[in-house]
Amino acid sequence: DAKTTQPPSMDCAEGRAANLPCNHSTISGNEYVYWYRQIHSQGPQYIIHGLKNNETNEMASLIITEDRKSSTLILPHATLRDTAVYYCIVYTDKLIFGTGTRLQVFP
Amino acid sequence: DTGVSQDPRHKITKRGQNVTFRCDPISEHNRLYWYRQTLGQGPEFLTYFQNEAQLEKSRLLSDRFSAERPKGSFSTLEIQRTEQGDSAMYLCASSQIVTGGSYEQYFGPGTRLTVT
């Protein structure tokens, strides 16, 4: 079973920041948090991952709380092409996907 | 680097027939994964290989399913005696496992199976 909890859906205006929360209260000390997204009818796409520290790359930022029980994925300037299902995953040897958050970016 | 490729992209078959899917991972990636995704659900793990060794199989992988990665490069997933419940998107992913490295998996476009 997935070790994460995410809201089923969120809306965001184009150009604004999209903040997607994730709870992973049972995460172990050496387990990473990974984020993927899946645009309709495509394979999942890797976004970012982290262990303890906040991370940033060209796609997004990942903020992990100090107790590591939750995290937030931030898309700083959402575009219509960011409309997708976003999955937060606690990584073991394999990816266990939950149902994710369906992000709808509107004009 | 051409990414993960899967063939065919779409397959329609009649119940009871056998089907085989192929996955070509990113070259040099030593891990290869198979997932299945039904409508409205996230992908479900089926099995994975490290090089040619199959290291784990999900209980979802019934005895009608078999996967191989004979030379540690491409992989095949075969479903025997297909059932309507096998209709799904079958996704393949690959990754490079290195000590102290990260393990992001790169997914192919999937094979959509429809069993009539």
Side-chain angles (χ1 to χ4, degrees):
Chain A
D1 290 343
K3 298 176 69 171
T4 61
T5 304
Q6 300 177 253
S9 64
M10 294 183 65
D11 291 338
C12 179
E14 191 177 20
R16 303 298 295 268
N19 297 292
L20 290 85
C22 178
N23 288 323
H24 32 79
S25 57
T26 61
I27 193 170
S28 299
N30 60 349
E31 290 178 327
Y32 284 78
V33 178
Y34 275 69
W35 283 82
Y36 281 75
R37 73 180 182 183
Q38 190 171 25
I39 296 169
H40 183 61
S41 296
Q42 298 182 20
Q45 176 190 23
Y46 165 79
I47 301 173
I48 198 167
H49 73 280
L51 182 63
K52 296 179 183 178
N53 301 320
N54 298 337
E55 303 288 344
T56 296
N57 63 19
E58 65 277 4
M59 290 184 68
S61 295
L62 175 60
I63 308 298
I64 302 174
T65 57
E66 192 169 345
D67 63 8
R68 302 209 328 120
K69 292 186 177 182
S70 65
S71 61
T72 301
L73 179 75
I74 301 172
L75 307 178
H77 306 287
T79 71
L80 298 177
R81 288 176 296 180
D82 292 322
T83 292
V85 179
Y86 287 77
Y87 296 99
C88 168
I89 300 165
V90 171
Y91 185 85
T92 54
D93 259 353
K94 52 193 176 289
L95 298 173
I96 305 297
F97 290 81
T99 51
T101 295
R102 184 172 299 278
L103 175 68
Q104 179 69 52
V105 180
F106 57 91
Chain B
D1 186 347
T2 58
V4 178
S5 61
Q6 293 187 245
D7 183 68
R9 295 290 308 277
H10 303 273
K11 178 71 176 178
I12 300 173
T13 191
K14 293 185 177 179
R15 184 165 50 94
Q17 297 294 305
N18 299 344
V19 293
T20 300
F21 310 141
R22 176 179 170 125
C23 171
D24 286 88
I26 293 171
S27 59
E28 309 303 324
H29 276 193
N30 52 17
R31 281 207 177 171
L32 187 148
Y33 303 79
W34 286 98
Y35 295 83
R36 180 175 69 187
Q37 186 173 26
T38 54
L39 200 61
Q41 302 297 314
E44 298 172 294
F45 168 79
L46 293 178
T47 188
Y48 84 91
F49 295 82
Q50 181 152 324
N51 300 312
E52 65 274 12
Q54 189 172 18
L55 296 187
E56 187 173 346
K57 293 192 292 186
S58 163
R59 63 181 182 276
L60 294 174
L61 212 65
S62 77
D63 56 6
R64 296 185 297 106
F65 288 69
S66 62
E68 294 183 344
R69 194 183 183 199
K71 296 183 180 179
S73 56
F74 73 93
S75 175
T76 58
L77 177 68
E78 180 183 18
I79 309 174
Q80 296 182 327
R81 305 180 303 282
T82 53
E83 302 172 356
Q84 287 189 319
D86 297 331
S87 295
M89 176 77 84
Y90 289 84
L91 293 160
C92 175
S94 70
S95 67
Q96 177 69 2
I97 300 298
V98 294
T99 303
S102 59
Y103 309 129
E104 51 264 40
Q105 295 181 23
Y106 296 88
F107 283 80
T111 293
R112 182 167 295 283
L113 173 66
T114 302
V115 182
T116 62

